[in-house]
């Protein structure tokens, strides 16, 4: 090999080393969970305001979803 080819191989090897070092640092990917935001009374449809069965069902569904989303 001539000097130009040697220099190219050296630069190529260094670039690959730097690229590998950069990607290795990012292996500990963080999982960011959004905080749970429950239903408010304002979220409930007005037509069901006095329906205790509907409200109980809504709270039951909210609890199940919260449990599934928080592990």
């Amino acid at each position: 090999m001539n000097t130009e080819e040697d220099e190219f191989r050296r630069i190529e090897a260094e670039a690959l080393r730097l690229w590998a070092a950069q990607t290795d640092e990012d292996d500990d990917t963080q999982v960011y969970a959004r905080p749970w935001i429950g239903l408010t009374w304002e979220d409930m449809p007005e037509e069901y305001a006095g329906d205790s069965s509907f409200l109980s069902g809504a709270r039951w569904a909210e609890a199940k979803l919260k449990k599934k989303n928080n592990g």
Side-chain angles (χ1 to χ4, degrees), residues 27-64:
D27 282 348
D28 62 321
T29 302
Q30 300 286 325
V31 177
Y32 296 100
R34 292 172 53 180
W36 177 260
I37 300 173
L39 295 172
T40 64
W41 288 112
E42 291 80 28
D43 294 327
M44 300 293 180
E46 287 185 31
E47 59 268 19
Y48 294 108
D51 187 346
S52 62
S53 295
F54 175 83
L55 297 175
S56 293
R59 293 296 178 201
W60 172 86
E62 180 182 34
K64 286 292 183 182

Side-chain angles (χ1 to χ4, degrees), residues 5-44:
E5 288 179 20
D6 291 340
E7 182 66 10
F8 176 79
R9 299 280 182 241
R10 186 191 68 74
I11 292 170
E12 182 182 42
E14 180 67 10
L16 288 171
R17 185 190 67 76
L18 291 172
W19 179 79
Q22 181 182 12
T23 57
D24 286 346
E25 290 176 10
D26 201 22
D27 282 348
D28 62 321
T29 302
Q30 300 286 325
V31 177
Y32 296 100
R34 292 172 53 180
W36 177 260
I37 300 173
L39 295 172
T40 64
W41 288 112
E42 291 80 28
D43 294 327
M44 300 293 180

